[in-house]
C-alpha cells in the first residue's frame, strides 16, 4: 500500500499520547453524551412535555443525521483536510449541546423544535468527527502502533456507549439535573480542542482523473429522502398508523428513493457512496456486521426503559445495570486487539458477536420476577460488553486495513455510517416493537401462563421481550454476514504489508 505525498508530509509529525487523548475525547462526545437520551428520555419526556413517539425520534435522529452525512464528511475530509473537518465536528458538538441544554419545558413546537434541532446538530458533529479522526489515526500511525491507537479510539466509541446509561442516570438523578450532561460535554469538547491544537493537516492525494468531478448531490438527496422516510415511518408508526395512507406513502417513498439511489450510485464515477469498496469481502463483512451490532443498541432503550416503567427503577438504578457492560468493554477492547494479532479479524469478530447475542438473549427474559430479571440483565449487559470488546478493534482494523490511502476517508465514513445508521434504525425498530407489543390484549398474554409475578404490567413486559428479541435477531444476522464475507485468513498482500502482525494459523475458523 503506497502513501500519498500529503500523507507523507503529515506523518513527519509524530502524535503524542496527549493528542490521542484529545481524539478519544472528541469521539466520546457523541457516544457518551449524545447517547445519554437512551436512558434519560423516559424520565424527562414528561418534564419537557413531549409525546413518546417524538421522544423516540429525538433518540434516533442523532444517529440518523450522523449516518446520512458521515460519508459526505469523510469525502470532504479527504479533499479539504481531515484536521479541518475534525475541528468543525467539535464546534458542532458544542453548538448542539448548547441548544439541548437550553431547550425550554412545555412550550409545544418550540420545545420539540429545539430538542430535535440540537440532536440533529449533534448528529452532524459525529458525522464530521468519526471519519476524520479514524483517517488521521491511519495517517499518523502504522502497524501495531495503529492497532493500539484504534483500540483507544474504540474505547472512546464503544467504551463511551458503555458508560452512557450509568452517566446519564447519575447526572439526571443528581441535583445538577439532566441538562448538566450537555454542559459537561461542552467543557470536554473545549478540552479536546486544546489537546488537539497544532495537529497538522492531512488529506488524500487527488486523483487527476477525478480532480474536476462534481459532488454527487443527486445521490445524497435520494439517500436522505430514503433514510428520513423509513426512520419517520418506524419511529412514528404507532402514532400515524402502520397501514395508514401516510404510513404506506412513507414506505413507498423509501422503496422508490432507494431504487433511484442505487441506480445513480452504480452509474456515476464520482458516486456519493463508492460501492466498489464492497468488492472487498473483509470490508463488506466488517461494515455489515458493524451495522447490525450497532443496531443492537436498541437493547439499551428497551431494557432500561422497561425496568424504569414496569419495575419502578430510577434512571440511576437502571443505569447501574450497565456497570458490568462498561467494565467488560474497557477491559476487553485491548484483548480484542491481541486476538486480532493472533488470529486475524474473523475469529474474534465471530466470538464477540456470539457472546453479544447470548448477553442480549438473557436481557430478553422479561417473563421472570423483577429480582431474577435484574440479575440476568446485569449478567447479560456484562456479556454484551465482553462481546463488543472482542469485536471492536478487529472489525475496525478489518474495515480499513486494505483500503487505498486515497479512499480511507470515504471508507471510514462508510464504516462509521454503518455504526450510526445501525444505531438509529435499531433503536427506532426496537422502540416501535416495544410500543406495539404493549397493545396486545393482556388477558391473552396471561392465558399463556408464561409471565410470572405481577400481572398488571404483562403488556409492558411482552412488548419489552419483542423489542429485545429483535436485537437478538440482528446479532444472528451479523454472525451470518461475518461467516459469509470475512475470509478465514488475512489476504496475502495484507500480510506482506503488515510484517508486525502475527499470521493466523492455517486451521480453524
Amino acid at each position: 500500500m503506497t502513501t500519498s505525498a500529503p500523507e507523507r508530509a503529515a506523518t513527519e509529525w509524530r502524535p503524542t499520547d496527549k493528542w490521542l487523548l484529545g481524539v478519544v475525547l472528541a469521539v466520546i462526545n457523541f457516544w457518551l453524551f449524545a447517547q445519554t437520551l437512551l436512558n434519560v428520555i423516559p424520565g424527562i419526556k414528561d418534564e419537557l412535555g413531549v409525546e413518546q413517539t417524538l421522544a423516540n425520534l429525538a433518540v434516533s435522529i442523532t444517529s440518523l443525521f450522523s449516518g446520512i452525512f458521515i460519508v459526505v464528511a469523510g469525502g470532504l475530509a479527504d479533499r479539504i483536510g481531515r484536521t479541518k473537518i475534525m475541528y468543525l465536528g467539535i464546534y458542532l458538538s458544542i453548538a448542539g449541546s448548547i441548544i439541548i441544554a437550553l431547550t425550554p419545558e412545555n412550550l409545544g413546537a418550540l420545545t420539540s423544535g429545539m430538542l430535535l434541532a440540537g440532536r440533529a446538530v449533534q448528529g452532524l458533529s459525529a458525522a464530521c468527527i468519526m471519519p476524520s479522526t479514524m483517517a488521521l489515526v491511519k495517517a499518523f500511525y502504522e502497524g501495531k502502533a495503529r492497532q493500539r491507537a484504534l483500540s483507544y479510539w474504540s474505547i472512546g466509541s464503544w467504551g463511551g456507549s458503555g458508560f452512557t446509561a450509568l452517566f446519564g442516570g447519575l447526572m439526571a438523578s443528581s441535583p445538577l439535573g439532566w441538562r448538566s450532561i450537555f454542559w459537561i460535554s461542552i467543557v470536554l469538547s473545549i478540552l479536546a480542542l486544546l489537546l488537539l491544537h497544532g495537529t497538522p493537516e492531512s488529506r488524500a492525494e487527488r486523483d487527476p482523473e477525478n480532480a474536476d468531478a462534481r459532488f454527487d448531490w443527486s445521490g445524497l438527496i435520494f439517500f436522505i429522502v430514503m433514510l428520513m422516510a423509513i426512520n419517520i415511518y418506524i419511529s412514528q408508526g404507532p402514532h400515524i398508523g402502520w397501514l395508514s395512507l401516510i404510513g404506506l406513502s412513507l414506505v413507498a417513498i423509501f422503496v422508490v428513493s432507494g431504487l433511484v439511489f442505487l441506480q445513480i450510485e452504480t452509474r456515476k464515477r464520482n458516486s456519493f457512496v463508492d460501492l466498489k469498496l464492497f468488492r472487498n469481502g473483509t470490508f463488506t463483512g466488517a461494515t455489515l456486521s458493524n451495522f447490525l451490532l450497532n443496531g443492537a443498541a436498541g437493547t439499551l432503550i428497551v431494557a432500561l426503559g422497561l425496568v424504569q416503567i414496569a419495575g419502578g427503577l430510577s434512571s440511576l438504578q437502571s443505569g447501574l445495570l450497565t456497570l458490568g457492560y462498561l467494565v467488560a468493554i474497557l477491559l476487553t477492547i485491548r484483548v480484542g486487539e491481541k486476538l486480532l494479532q493472533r488470529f486475524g479479524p474473523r475469529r474474534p469478530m465471530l466470538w464477540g458477536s456470539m457472546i453479544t447475542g447470548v448477553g442480549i438473549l438473557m436481557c430478553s427474559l422479561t417473563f421472570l420476577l423483577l429480582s431474577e430479571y435484574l440479575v440476568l440483565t446485569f449478567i447479560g449487559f456484562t456479556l454484551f460488553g465482553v462481546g463488543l470488546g472482542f469485536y471492536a478493534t478487529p472489525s475496525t482494523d478489518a474495515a480499513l486495513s486494505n483500503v487505498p490511502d486515497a479512499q480511507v476517508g470515504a471508507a471510514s465514513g462508510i464504516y462509521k455510517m454503518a455504526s450510526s445508521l445501525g444505531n438509529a434504525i435499531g433503536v427506532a425498530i426496537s422502540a416501535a416493537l416495544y410500543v406495539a407489543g404493549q397493545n396486545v390484549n393482556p388477558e391473552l398474554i396471561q392465558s399463556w401462563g408464561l409471565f410470572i409475578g405481577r400481572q398488571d404490567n404483562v403488556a409492558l413486559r411482552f412488548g419489552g421481550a419483542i423489542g429485545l428479541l429483535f436485537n437478538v435477531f440482528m446479532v444472528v444476522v451479523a454472525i451470518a454476514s461475518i461467516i459469509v464475507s470475512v475470509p478465514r485468513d488475512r489476504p496475502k498482500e495484507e500480510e506482506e504489508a503488515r510484517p508486525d502482525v502475527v499470521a493466523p494459523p492455517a486451521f480453524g475458523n
Side-chain angles (χ1 to χ4, degrees):
M1 187 183 299
T2 59
T3 304
S4 65
E7 293 226 339
R8 283 195 300 271
T11 53
E12 292 176 0
W13 174 84
R14 290 290 177 264
T16 62
D17 287 344
K18 183 181 74 171
W19 181 86
L20 187 57
L21 175 60
V23 168
V24 172
L25 289 179
V27 171
I28 212 170
N29 270 306
F30 172 69
W31 292 106
L32 172 56
F33 298 101
Q35 297 295 72
T36 51
L37 285 196
L38 283 167
N39 185 33
V40 173
I41 198 67
I44 69 169
K45 66 180 181 65
D46 293 333
E47 175 186 330
L48 290 174
V50 298
E51 295 182 356
Q52 180 66 55
T53 52
L54 189 135
N56 291 339
L57 180 60
V59 171
S60 64
I61 196 171
T62 299
S63 295
L64 180 66
F65 267 67
S66 171
I68 288 174
F69 293 102
I70 201 167
V71 175
V72 178
L76 288 174
D78 282 343
R79 291 188 179 191
I80 68 175
R82 295 151 182 168
T83 302
K84 288 187 180 71
I85 297 300
M86 177 182 68
Y87 285 151
L88 173 62
I90 298 174
Y91 290 129
L92 286 173
S93 176
I94 294 172
S97 294
I98 290 174
I99 294 172
I100 297 173
L102 296 178
T103 298
E105 300 174 7
N106 295 301
L107 289 183
L110 179 61
T111 298
S112 301
M114 287 188 66
L115 179 62
L116 294 177
R119 297 289 290 167
V121 173
Q122 285 186 314
L124 292 174
S125 163
C128 293
I129 289 172
M130 288 191 287
S132 61
T133 53
M134 287 184 74
L136 287 171
V137 166
K138 189 173 189 291
F140 294 155
Y141 295 93
E142 294 181 357
K144 287 186 176 180
R146 179 187 296 167
Q147 292 172 352
R148 172 181 174 271
L150 285 175
S151 289
Y152 284 107
W153 192 99
S154 296
I155 288 173
S157 57
W158 294 103
S161 67
F163 192 45
T164 184
L166 179 59
F167 174 76
L170 178 64
M171 300 312 300
S173 303
S174 74
L176 296 175
W178 66 270
R179 296 177 192 272
S180 63
I181 295 168
F182 301 100
W183 293 119
I184 294 172
S185 174
I186 293 168
V187 172
L188 289 189
S189 292
I190 295 172
L191 179 58
L193 287 172
L194 295 174
L195 292 172
L196 294 168
H197 179 71
T199 304
E201 192 54 270
S202 167
R203 59 176 63 89
E205 190 173 23
R206 297 293 296 276
D207 183 354
E209 295 182 3
N210 294 324
D212 298 325
R214 295 182 178 179
F215 182 75
D216 179 18
W217 290 109
S218 57
L220 174 61
I221 290 170
F222 280 101
F223 187 72
I224 293 173
V225 172
M226 175 182 69
L227 291 179
M228 288 297 294
I230 194 62
N231 193 267
I232 292 173
Y233 175 74
I234 294 170
S235 63
Q236 303 299 302
H239 179 69
I240 63 177
W242 299 107
L243 299 179
S244 67
L245 179 60
I246 296 176
L248 294 177
S249 297
L250 287 169
V251 173
I253 292 171
F254 166 73
V255 172
V256 172
S257 57
L259 292 174
V260 174
F261 170 74
L262 289 176
Q263 190 81 353
I264 292 172
E265 299 308 282
T266 53
R267 291 186 176 185
K268 279 196 173 185
R269 187 177 63 180
N270 61 317
S271 57
F272 164 57
V273 175
D274 188 357
L275 299 180
K276 293 190 294 295
L277 287 169
F278 290 97
R279 294 174 183 172
N280 183 311
T282 303
F283 176 81
T284 300
T287 303
L288 180 56
S289 61
N290 186 41
F291 170 85
L292 294 163
L293 284 186
N294 273 275
T299 302
L300 290 167
I301 192 172
V302 175
L304 299 182
L306 180 65
V307 295
Q308 289 181 49
I309 298 173
L313 272 66
S314 68
S315 56
L316 174 58
Q317 291 171 324
S318 65
L320 287 171
L321 292 175
T322 67
L323 183 59
Y325 175 98
L326 168 65
V327 173
I329 201 168
L330 292 177
L331 290 178
T332 56
I333 280 180
R334 296 301 303 275
V335 176
E337 174 190 337
K338 302 303 180 183
L339 291 173
L340 166 68
Q341 295 171 0
R342 178 68 180 89
F343 298 107
R346 188 176 193 262
R347 278 197 263 183
M349 288 170 67
L350 283 173
W351 295 336
S353 299
M354 292 173 183
I355 295 170
T356 295
V358 172
I360 298 174
L361 185 61
M362 294 180 72
C363 295
S364 305
L365 305 179
T366 63
F367 58 86
L368 299 172
L369 295 172
L370 178 62
S371 58
E372 299 169 342
Y373 180 72
L374 292 177
V375 172
L376 288 178
T377 299
F378 183 86
I379 298 172
F381 274 126
T382 302
L383 291 176
F384 197 166
V386 172
L388 293 183
F390 281 16
Y391 172 88
T393 301
S395 173
T396 306
D397 185 79
L400 299 182
S401 60
N402 206 30
V403 175
D405 291 319
Q407 294 177 298
V408 67
S412 301
I414 292 174
Y415 180 76
K416 295 314 296 179
M417 175 182 71
S419 301
S420 297
L421 291 182
N423 188 289
I425 293 174
V427 166
I429 294 177
S430 298
L433 290 174
Y434 176 38
V435 173
Q438 296 172 33
N439 295 323
V440 176
N441 188 343
E443 294 182 358
L444 174 62
I445 300 172
Q446 292 171 358
S447 69
W448 301 335
L450 182 63
F451 287 81
I452 61 177
R454 287 174 53 189
Q455 298 297 300
D456 59 321
N457 60 8
V458 291
L460 276 168
R461 293 157 68 189
F462 176 74
I466 297 300
L468 289 164
L469 287 173
F470 168 76
N471 291 277
V472 177
F473 170 74
M474 295 276 278
V475 175
V476 171
V477 179
I479 292 170
S481 71
I482 295 169
I483 293 173
V484 171
S485 301
V486 180
R488 292 177 179 271
D489 299 314
R490 289 183 182 273
K492 182 179 179 182
E493 60 271 18
E494 184 182 333
E495 288 297 334
E496 293 173 349
R498 289 172 170 269
D500 57 295
V501 179
V502 178
F507 56 86
N509 292 328

